[in-house]
Amino acid sequence: GRYRDSAGNEVDVFIALYPGQGEGREAGGFGQGALVPQSAWDWQAPGPDILGGKSDRLLAEGRVHRLAVTWYRTGAMLTGSNARLKLATMQDKLLLRARPTAMLILTAEQRATHPAERSIRAFARAAGPLDAWMDRVAGLR
């Protein structure tokens, strides 16, 4: 979805729910996330720290700059770290515990009047705690 507030901050929101993690269906797996392989988008650099999410600066067609921030939610954990997600998934497998995982990606175009970071932070403030927001949207709690 796309959200725009009264101040003109605009954010694209992508959320995916994985009922379980397994081979070929991993929230943090290759091809999952903000940068789709073999697309018009190129990774440019890490982005700023925004609420512990994985932040990336992306570029398309040499002129469209976007900031993308990714979070994963499984159990009580909210993280932007793919490594932490993988460790939690391995622990769940060892404990024979099946838990859904949600992935949230917030992206915003860098505009002179509305910097991408400001737009993403405005959305996060309006949504409230992202872990609780993700749980509500995914119907987990």
Side-chain angles (χ1 to χ4, degrees):
R2 178 168 287 167
Y3 294 87
R4 184 178 181 149
D5 66 15
S6 60
N9 295 303
E10 195 170 280
V11 175
D12 289 334
V13 178
F14 173 83
I15 189 162
L17 182 62
Y18 296 77
Q21 300 280 324
E23 192 64 37
R25 49 184 175 80
E26 298 132 338
F30 178 76
Q32 303 297 318
L35 185 59
V36 178
Q38 300 173 350
S39 71
W41 293 95
D42 292 316
W43 184 85
Q44 295 295 295
D49 179 28
I50 299 178
L51 303 171
K54 181 184 182 304
S55 181
D56 297 295
R57 295 191 186 280
L58 307 175
L59 178 68
E61 301 172 5
R63 60 181 169 75
V64 180
H65 296 267
R66 288 189 81 83
L67 178 62
V69 186
T70 303
W71 291 269
Y72 305 102
R73 173 88 166 139
T74 188
M77 182 181 72
L78 176 67
T79 185
S81 167
N82 198 352
R84 286 190 64 208
L85 174 64
K86 286 185 185 284
L87 287 173
T89 300
M90 289 187 324
Q91 182 181 31
D92 285 345
K93 285 181 183 178
L94 288 172
L95 296 173
L96 302 174
R97 180 174 54 199
R99 290 199 287 198
T101 298
M103 176 176 63
L104 171 66
I105 303 172
L106 300 178
T107 70
E109 188 173 331
Q110 182 67 32
R111 298 184 295 163
T113 57
H114 294 89
E117 181 178 355
R118 183 175 80 191
S119 294
I120 290 172
R121 287 186 185 279
F123 176 88
R125 269 191 311 280
L130 288 179
D131 52 358
W133 185 86
M134 290 172 73
D135 289 348
R136 282 192 312 273
V137 169
L140 298 177
R141 291 186 175 86

mmCIF file of all heavy atoms in Angstrom, residues 61-100:
data_model
loop_
_atom_site.group_PDB
_atom_site.id
_atom_site.type_symbol
_atom_site.label_atom_id
_atom_site.label_comp_id
_atom_site.label_asym_id
_atom_site.label_seq_id
_atom_site.Cartn_x
_atom_site.Cartn_y
_atom_site.Cartn_z
ATOM 1 N N GLU A 61 17.276 3.511 -12.742
ATOM 2 C CA GLU A 61 17.443 4.295 -13.963
ATOM 3 C C GLU A 61 18.390 5.476 -13.784
ATOM 4 O O GLU A 61 18.272 6.491 -14.485
ATOM 5 C CB GLU A 61 16.073 4.749 -14.475
ATOM 6 C CG GLU A 61 15.143 3.597 -14.777
ATOM 7 C CD GLU A 61 13.728 4.024 -15.092
ATOM 8 O OE1 GLU A 61 13.460 5.240 -15.178
ATOM 9 O OE2 GLU A 61 12.885 3.132 -15.249
ATOM 10 N N GLY A 62 19.285 5.386 -12.829
ATOM 11 C CA GLY A 62 20.281 6.428 -12.600
ATOM 12 C C GLY A 62 19.730 7.728 -12.061
ATOM 13 O O GLY A 62 20.445 8.713 -11.942
ATOM 14 N N ARG A 63 18.437 7.753 -11.698
ATOM 15 C CA ARG A 63 17.876 9.030 -11.252
ATOM 16 C C ARG A 63 16.866 8.930 -10.113
ATOM 17 O O ARG A 63 16.585 9.914 -9.443
ATOM 18 C CB ARG A 63 17.230 9.763 -12.430
ATOM 19 C CG ARG A 63 16.112 9.005 -13.087
ATOM 20 C CD ARG A 63 15.516 9.775 -14.274
ATOM 21 N NE ARG A 63 14.641 8.963 -15.048
ATOM 22 C CZ ARG A 63 13.416 8.603 -14.702
ATOM 23 N NH1 ARG A 63 12.919 9.012 -13.566
ATOM 24 N NH2 ARG A 63 12.686 7.839 -15.481
ATOM 25 N N VAL A 64 16.269 7.771 -9.885
ATOM 26 C CA VAL A 64 15.267 7.638 -8.835
ATOM 27 C C VAL A 64 15.922 7.023 -7.597
ATOM 28 O O VAL A 64 16.346 5.872 -7.621
ATOM 29 C CB VAL A 64 14.076 6.763 -9.295
ATOM 30 C CG1 VAL A 64 13.045 6.644 -8.178
ATOM 31 C CG2 VAL A 64 13.454 7.335 -10.551
ATOM 32 N N HIS A 65 16.027 7.817 -6.550
ATOM 33 C CA HIS A 65 16.644 7.372 -5.299
ATOM 34 C C HIS A 65 15.553 7.007 -4.307
ATOM 35 O O HIS A 65 14.596 7.761 -4.117
ATOM 36 C CB HIS A 65 17.506 8.490 -4.697
ATOM 37 C CG HIS A 65 18.669 8.852 -5.552
ATOM 38 N ND1 HIS A 65 19.906 8.290 -5.392
ATOM 39 C CD2 HIS A 65 18.781 9.721 -6.598
ATOM 40 C CE1 HIS A 65 20.737 8.788 -6.286
ATOM 41 N NE2 HIS A 65 20.074 9.665 -7.036
ATOM 42 N N ARG A 66 15.710 5.850 -3.675
ATOM 43 C CA ARG A 66 14.756 5.417 -2.644
ATOM 44 C C ARG A 66 15.524 4.913 -1.440
ATOM 45 O O ARG A 66 16.641 4.411 -1.558
ATOM 46 C CB ARG A 66 13.855 4.285 -3.142
ATOM 47 C CG ARG A 66 12.823 4.732 -4.151
ATOM 48 C CD ARG A 66 11.822 3.645 -4.445
ATOM 49 N NE ARG A 66 10.780 3.563 -3.439
ATOM 50 C CZ ARG A 66 9.699 4.326 -3.404
ATOM 51 N NH1 ARG A 66 9.526 5.255 -4.311
ATOM 52 N NH2 ARG A 66 8.786 4.165 -2.480
ATOM 53 N N LEU A 67 14.878 5.022 -0.311
ATOM 54 C CA LEU A 67 15.368 4.426 0.923
ATOM 55 C C LEU A 67 14.400 3.308 1.262
ATOM 56 O O LEU A 67 13.178 3.505 1.208
ATOM 57 C CB LEU A 67 15.396 5.473 2.043
ATOM 58 C CG LEU A 67 15.833 4.983 3.413
ATOM 59 C CD1 LEU A 67 17.271 4.464 3.389
ATOM 60 C CD2 LEU A 67 15.690 6.106 4.437
ATOM 61 N N ALA A 68 14.911 2.126 1.567
ATOM 62 C CA ALA A 68 14.084 0.978 1.932
ATOM 63 C C ALA A 68 14.553 0.457 3.282
ATOM 64 O O ALA A 68 15.756 0.282 3.495
ATOM 65 C CB ALA A 68 14.198 -0.120 0.881
ATOM 66 N N VAL A 69 13.616 0.231 4.186
ATOM 67 C CA VAL A 69 13.941 -0.293 5.510
ATOM 68 C C VAL A 69 13.114 -1.547 5.733
ATOM 69 O O VAL A 69 11.897 -1.547 5.528
ATOM 70 C CB VAL A 69 13.672 0.736 6.626
ATOM 71 C CG1 VAL A 69 14.169 0.214 7.964
ATOM 72 C CG2 VAL A 69 14.322 2.080 6.296
ATOM 73 N N THR A 70 13.790 -2.634 6.163
ATOM 74 C CA THR A 70 13.162 -3.944 6.326
ATOM 75 C C THR A 70 13.243 -4.399 7.773
ATOM 76 O O THR A 70 14.289 -4.263 8.414
ATOM 77 C CB THR A 70 13.869 -4.987 5.434
ATOM 78 O OG1 THR A 70 13.828 -4.542 4.076
ATOM 79 C CG2 THR A 70 13.217 -6.358 5.542
ATOM 80 N N TRP A 71 12.115 -4.951 8.259
ATOM 81 C CA TRP A 71 12.065 -5.574 9.581
ATOM 82 C C TRP A 71 11.444 -6.959 9.445
ATOM 83 O O TRP A 71 10.601 -7.190 8.579
ATOM 84 C CB TRP A 71 11.176 -4.779 10.538
ATOM 85 C CG TRP A 71 11.680 -3.460 10.942
ATOM 86 C CD1 TRP A 71 12.462 -3.164 12.026
ATOM 87 C CD2 TRP A 71 11.425 -2.208 10.294
ATOM 88 N NE1 TRP A 71 12.705 -1.815 12.074
ATOM 89 C CE2 TRP A 71 12.075 -1.208 11.018
ATOM 90 C CE3 TRP A 71 10.701 -1.843 9.155
ATOM 91 C CZ2 TRP A 71 12.028 0.125 10.665
ATOM 92 C CZ3 TRP A 71 10.657 -0.520 8.792
ATOM 93 C CH2 TRP A 71 11.314 0.454 9.544
ATOM 94 N N TYR A 72 11.848 -7.846 10.358
ATOM 95 C CA TYR A 72 11.266 -9.176 10.467
ATOM 96 C C TYR A 72 10.672 -9.309 11.867
ATOM 97 O O TYR A 72 11.253 -8.848 12.842
ATOM 98 C CB TYR A 72 12.328 -10.267 10.281
ATOM 99 C CG TYR A 72 13.093 -10.138 8.989
ATOM 100 C CD1 TYR A 72 14.373 -9.603 8.982
ATOM 101 C CD2 TYR A 72 12.529 -10.540 7.785
ATOM 102 C CE1 TYR A 72 15.083 -9.479 7.801
ATOM 103 C CE2 TYR A 72 13.236 -10.415 6.596
ATOM 104 C CZ TYR A 72 14.516 -9.882 6.614
ATOM 105 O OH TYR A 72 15.214 -9.756 5.445
ATOM 106 N N ARG A 73 9.536 -9.992 11.939
ATOM 107 C CA ARG A 73 8.867 -10.207 13.226
ATOM 108 C C ARG A 73 8.536 -11.684 13.338
ATOM 109 O O ARG A 73 7.815 -12.245 12.512
ATOM 110 C CB ARG A 73 7.582 -9.376 13.270
ATOM 111 C CG ARG A 73 6.711 -9.640 14.480
ATOM 112 C CD ARG A 73 7.130 -8.762 15.616
ATOM 113 N NE ARG A 73 6.103 -8.784 16.655
ATOM 114 C CZ ARG A 73 6.397 -8.831 17.936
ATOM 115 N NH1 ARG A 73 7.646 -8.840 18.341
ATOM 116 N NH2 ARG A 73 5.433 -8.834 18.820
ATOM 117 N N THR A 74 9.103 -12.323 14.361
ATOM 118 C CA THR A 74 8.771 -13.717 14.653
ATOM 119 C C THR A 74 8.752 -13.876 16.161
ATOM 120 O O THR A 74 9.653 -13.367 16.850
ATOM 121 C CB THR A 74 9.740 -14.706 13.978
ATOM 122 O OG1 THR A 74 9.256 -16.032 14.156
ATOM 123 C CG2 THR A 74 11.153 -14.598 14.486
ATOM 124 N N GLY A 75 7.730 -14.500 16.677
ATOM 125 C CA GLY A 75 7.579 -14.575 18.129
ATOM 126 C C GLY A 75 7.546 -13.173 18.703
ATOM 127 O O GLY A 75 6.821 -12.314 18.220
ATOM 128 N N ALA A 76 8.365 -12.931 19.723
ATOM 129 C CA ALA A 76 8.433 -11.601 20.340
ATOM 130 C C ALA A 76 9.548 -10.745 19.749
ATOM 131 O O ALA A 76 9.779 -9.627 20.190
ATOM 132 C CB ALA A 76 8.648 -11.749 21.847
ATOM 133 N N MET A 77 10.251 -11.277 18.749
ATOM 134 C CA MET A 77 11.414 -10.585 18.192
ATOM 135 C C MET A 77 11.027 -9.695 17.007
ATOM 136 O O MET A 77 10.300 -10.109 16.104
ATOM 137 C CB MET A 77 12.455 -11.608 17.724
ATOM 138 C CG MET A 77 13.720 -10.966 17.172
ATOM 139 S SD MET A 77 14.925 -12.176 16.585
ATOM 140 C CE MET A 77 14.122 -12.738 15.100
ATOM 141 N N LEU A 78 11.536 -8.475 17.023
ATOM 142 C CA LEU A 78 11.475 -7.561 15.888
ATOM 143 C C LEU A 78 12.908 -7.197 15.569
ATOM 144 O O LEU A 78 13.640 -6.707 16.433
ATOM 145 C CB LEU A 78 10.671 -6.303 16.223
ATOM 146 C CG LEU A 78 10.624 -5.242 15.113
ATOM 147 C CD1 LEU A 78 9.836 -5.759 13.914
ATOM 148 C CD2 LEU A 78 10.020 -3.948 15.640
ATOM 149 N N THR A 79 13.344 -7.446 14.341
ATOM 150 C CA THR A 79 14.738 -7.199 13.979
ATOM 151 C C THR A 79 14.850 -6.846 12.506
ATOM 152 O O THR A 79 14.006 -7.214 11.706
ATOM 153 C CB THR A 79 15.612 -8.448 14.287
ATOM 154 O OG1 THR A 79 16.991 -8.137 14.030
ATOM 155 C CG2 THR A 79 15.207 -9.649 13.451
ATOM 156 N N GLY A 80 15.915 -6.156 12.181
ATOM 157 C CA GLY A 80 16.258 -5.912 10.792
ATOM 158 C C GLY A 80 17.380 -6.836 10.352
ATOM 159 O O GLY A 80 17.821 -6.798 9.213
ATOM 160 N N SER A 81 17.831 -7.687 11.260
ATOM 161 C CA SER A 81 18.969 -8.567 11.001
ATOM 162 C C SER A 81 18.524 -9.908 10.440
ATOM 163 O O SER A 81 17.810 -10.669 11.112
ATOM 164 C CB SER A 81 19.747 -8.790 12.301
ATOM 165 O OG SER A 81 20.672 -9.855 12.158
ATOM 166 N N ASN A 82 18.990 -10.213 9.251
ATOM 167 C CA ASN A 82 18.705 -11.502 8.639
ATOM 168 C C ASN A 82 19.346 -12.616 9.463
ATOM 169 O O ASN A 82 18.774 -13.699 9.604
ATOM 170 C CB ASN A 82 19.218 -11.505 7.201
ATOM 171 C CG ASN A 82 18.594 -12.599 6.367
ATOM 172 O OD1 ASN A 82 17.894 -13.454 6.861
ATOM 173 N ND2 ASN A 82 18.867 -12.556 5.081
ATOM 174 N N ALA A 83 20.531 -12.364 10.019
ATOM 175 C CA ALA A 83 21.220 -13.379 10.826
ATOM 176 C C ALA A 83 20.409 -13.709 12.085
ATOM 177 O O ALA A 83 20.260 -14.880 12.442
ATOM 178 C CB ALA A 83 22.617 -12.895 11.205
ATOM 179 N N ARG A 84 19.880 -12.687 12.754
ATOM 180 C CA ARG A 84 19.048 -12.941 13.946
ATOM 181 C C ARG A 84 17.786 -13.700 13.571
ATOM 182 O O ARG A 84 17.338 -14.573 14.309
ATOM 183 C CB ARG A 84 18.693 -11.634 14.644
ATOM 184 C CG ARG A 84 19.889 -11.051 15.395
ATOM 185 C CD ARG A 84 19.524 -9.901 16.295
ATOM 186 N NE ARG A 84 18.633 -10.366 17.366
ATOM 187 C CZ ARG A 84 17.736 -9.600 17.963
ATOM 188 N NH1 ARG A 84 17.601 -8.336 17.621
ATOM 189 N NH2 ARG A 84 16.974 -10.078 18.921
ATOM 190 N N LEU A 85 17.201 -13.386 12.424
ATOM 191 C CA LEU A 85 16.017 -14.111 11.966
ATOM 192 C C LEU A 85 16.357 -15.577 11.730
ATOM 193 O O LEU A 85 15.628 -16.470 12.160
ATOM 194 C CB LEU A 85 15.461 -13.488 10.685
ATOM 195 C CG LEU A 85 14.307 -14.258 10.037
ATOM 196 C CD1 LEU A 85 13.085 -14.288 10.950
ATOM 197 C CD2 LEU A 85 13.968 -13.665 8.686
ATOM 198 N N LYS A 86 17.478 -15.845 11.066
ATOM 199 C CA LYS A 86 17.880 -17.224 10.791
ATOM 200 C C LYS A 86 18.127 -18.000 12.087
ATOM 201 O O LYS A 86 17.739 -19.165 12.197
ATOM 202 C CB LYS A 86 19.113 -17.254 9.888
ATOM 203 C CG LYS A 86 18.793 -16.895 8.454
ATOM 204 C CD LYS A 86 20.013 -17.042 7.573
ATOM 205 C CE LYS A 86 19.731 -16.565 6.180
ATOM 206 N NZ LYS A 86 18.951 -17.469 5.389
ATOM 207 N N LEU A 87 18.772 -17.360 13.067
ATOM 208 C CA LEU A 87 19.013 -18.026 14.357
ATOM 209 C C LEU A 87 17.692 -18.348 15.055
ATOM 210 O O LEU A 87 17.523 -19.436 15.613
ATOM 211 C CB LEU A 87 19.897 -17.166 15.256
ATOM 212 C CG LEU A 87 21.362 -17.100 14.855
ATOM 213 C CD1 LEU A 87 22.096 -16.068 15.720
ATOM 214 C CD2 LEU A 87 22.020 -18.461 14.988
ATOM 215 N N ALA A 88 16.757 -17.425 15.028
ATOM 216 C CA ALA A 88 15.445 -17.665 15.646
ATOM 217 C C ALA A 88 14.717 -18.798 14.936
ATOM 218 O O ALA A 88 14.078 -19.642 15.575
ATOM 219 C CB ALA A 88 14.608 -16.383 15.616
ATOM 220 N N THR A 89 14.835 -18.849 13.615
ATOM 221 C CA THR A 89 14.190 -19.908 12.837
ATOM 222 C C THR A 89 14.813 -21.265 13.154
ATOM 223 O O THR A 89 14.099 -22.259 13.324
ATOM 224 C CB THR A 89 14.303 -19.600 11.329
ATOM 225 O OG1 THR A 89 13.656 -18.357 11.072
ATOM 226 C CG2 THR A 89 13.662 -20.678 10.487
ATOM 227 N N MET A 90 16.144 -21.310 13.287
ATOM 228 C CA MET A 90 16.812 -22.564 13.643
ATOM 229 C C MET A 90 16.386 -23.021 15.036
ATOM 230 O O MET A 90 16.139 -24.208 15.262
ATOM 231 C CB MET A 90 18.334 -22.399 13.566
ATOM 232 C CG MET A 90 18.824 -22.274 12.142
ATOM 233 S SD MET A 90 20.620 -22.281 11.864
ATOM 234 C CE MET A 90 21.300 -21.420 13.215
ATOM 235 N N GLN A 91 16.284 -22.082 15.975
ATOM 236 C CA GLN A 91 15.834 -22.419 17.321
ATOM 237 C C GLN A 91 14.412 -22.982 17.291
ATOM 238 O O GLN A 91 14.113 -23.976 17.960
ATOM 239 C CB GLN A 91 15.904 -21.194 18.223
ATOM 240 C CG GLN A 91 15.504 -21.477 19.650
ATOM 241 C CD GLN A 91 15.561 -20.233 20.517
ATOM 242 O OE1 GLN A 91 15.342 -19.115 20.041
ATOM 243 N NE2 GLN A 91 15.875 -20.422 21.783
ATOM 244 N N ASP A 92 13.539 -22.360 16.512
ATOM 245 C CA ASP A 92 12.169 -22.865 16.394
ATOM 246 C C ASP A 92 12.156 -24.297 15.856
ATOM 247 O O ASP A 92 11.390 -25.143 16.334
ATOM 248 C CB ASP A 92 11.335 -21.960 15.479
ATOM 249 C CG ASP A 92 10.935 -20.666 16.146
ATOM 250 O OD1 ASP A 92 11.048 -20.551 17.385
ATOM 251 O OD2 ASP A 92 10.511 -19.743 15.408
ATOM 252 N N LYS A 93 12.993 -24.570 14.862
ATOM 253 C CA LYS A 93 13.054 -25.923 14.299
ATOM 254 C C LYS A 93 13.539 -26.925 15.343
ATOM 255 O O LYS A 93 12.991 -28.026 15.459
ATOM 256 C CB LYS A 93 13.958 -25.945 13.067
ATOM 257 C CG LYS A 93 13.316 -25.323 11.858
ATOM 258 C CD LYS A 93 14.227 -25.383 10.662
ATOM 259 C CE LYS A 93 13.571 -24.685 9.488
ATOM 260 N NZ LYS A 93 14.413 -24.675 8.309
ATOM 261 N N LEU A 94 14.568 -26.564 16.102
ATOM 262 C CA LEU A 94 15.097 -27.457 17.141
ATOM 263 C C LEU A 94 14.057 -27.737 18.221
ATOM 264 O O LEU A 94 14.004 -28.838 18.772
ATOM 265 C CB LEU A 94 16.356 -26.863 17.772
ATOM 266 C CG LEU A 94 17.603 -26.871 16.902
ATOM 267 C CD1 LEU A 94 18.722 -26.076 17.561
ATOM 268 C CD2 LEU A 94 18.052 -28.304 16.642
ATOM 269 N N LEU A 95 13.236 -26.747 18.522
ATOM 270 C CA LEU A 95 12.206 -26.893 19.555
ATOM 271 C C LEU A 95 10.877 -27.392 18.990
ATOM 272 O O LEU A 95 9.879 -27.447 19.709
ATOM 273 C CB LEU A 95 12.002 -25.557 20.278
ATOM 274 C CG LEU A 95 13.220 -25.041 21.056
ATOM 275 C CD1 LEU A 95 12.955 -23.639 21.583
ATOM 276 C CD2 LEU A 95 13.584 -25.999 22.181
ATOM 277 N N LEU A 96 10.880 -27.738 17.692
ATOM 278 C CA LEU A 96 9.667 -28.217 17.003
ATOM 279 C C LEU A 96 8.514 -27.243 17.181
ATOM 280 O O LEU A 96 7.372 -27.605 17.419
ATOM 281 C CB LEU A 96 9.280 -29.606 17.512
ATOM 282 C CG LEU A 96 10.342 -30.689 17.350
ATOM 283 C CD1 LEU A 96 9.878 -31.973 18.017
ATOM 284 C CD2 LEU A 96 10.676 -30.910 15.893
ATOM 285 N N ARG A 97 8.866 -25.960 17.036
ATOM 286 C CA ARG A 97 7.897 -24.882 17.233
ATOM 287 C C ARG A 97 7.684 -24.186 15.889
ATOM 288 O O ARG A 97 8.622 -23.652 15.313
ATOM 289 C CB ARG A 97 8.472 -23.909 18.276
ATOM 290 C CG ARG A 97 7.614 -22.740 18.591
ATOM 291 C CD ARG A 97 8.205 -21.926 19.732
ATOM 292 N NE ARG A 97 9.579 -21.539 19.472
ATOM 293 C CZ ARG A 97 10.437 -21.151 20.424
ATOM 294 N NH1 ARG A 97 10.072 -21.111 21.677
ATOM 295 N NH2 ARG A 97 11.661 -20.795 20.101
ATOM 296 N N ALA A 98 6.460 -24.221 15.409
ATOM 297 C CA ALA A 98 6.126 -23.545 14.152
ATOM 298 C C ALA A 98 5.530 -22.188 14.485
ATOM 299 O O ALA A 98 4.532 -22.100 15.190
ATOM 300 C CB ALA A 98 5.142 -24.373 13.349
ATOM 301 N N ARG A 99 6.183 -21.137 14.015
ATOM 302 C CA ARG A 99 5.672 -19.784 14.254
ATOM 303 C C ARG A 99 5.670 -19.016 12.948
ATOM 304 O O ARG A 99 6.599 -19.132 12.149
ATOM 305 C CB ARG A 99 6.559 -19.039 15.248
ATOM 306 C CG ARG A 99 6.471 -19.563 16.639
ATOM 307 C CD ARG A 99 6.978 -18.564 17.620
ATOM 308 N NE ARG A 99 8.418 -18.432 17.585
ATOM 309 C CZ ARG A 99 9.122 -17.894 18.561
ATOM 310 N NH1 ARG A 99 8.519 -17.450 19.636
ATOM 311 N NH2 ARG A 99 10.416 -17.787 18.480
ATOM 312 N N PRO A 100 4.643 -18.204 12.742
ATOM 313 C CA PRO A 100 4.640 -17.364 11.543
ATOM 314 C C PRO A 100 5.680 -16.255 11.668
ATOM 315 O O PRO A 100 6.064 -15.862 12.771
ATOM 316 C CB PRO A 100 3.225 -16.792 11.516
ATOM 317 C CG PRO A 100 2.737 -16.869 12.914
ATOM 318 C CD PRO A 100 3.445 -18.022 13.560
#
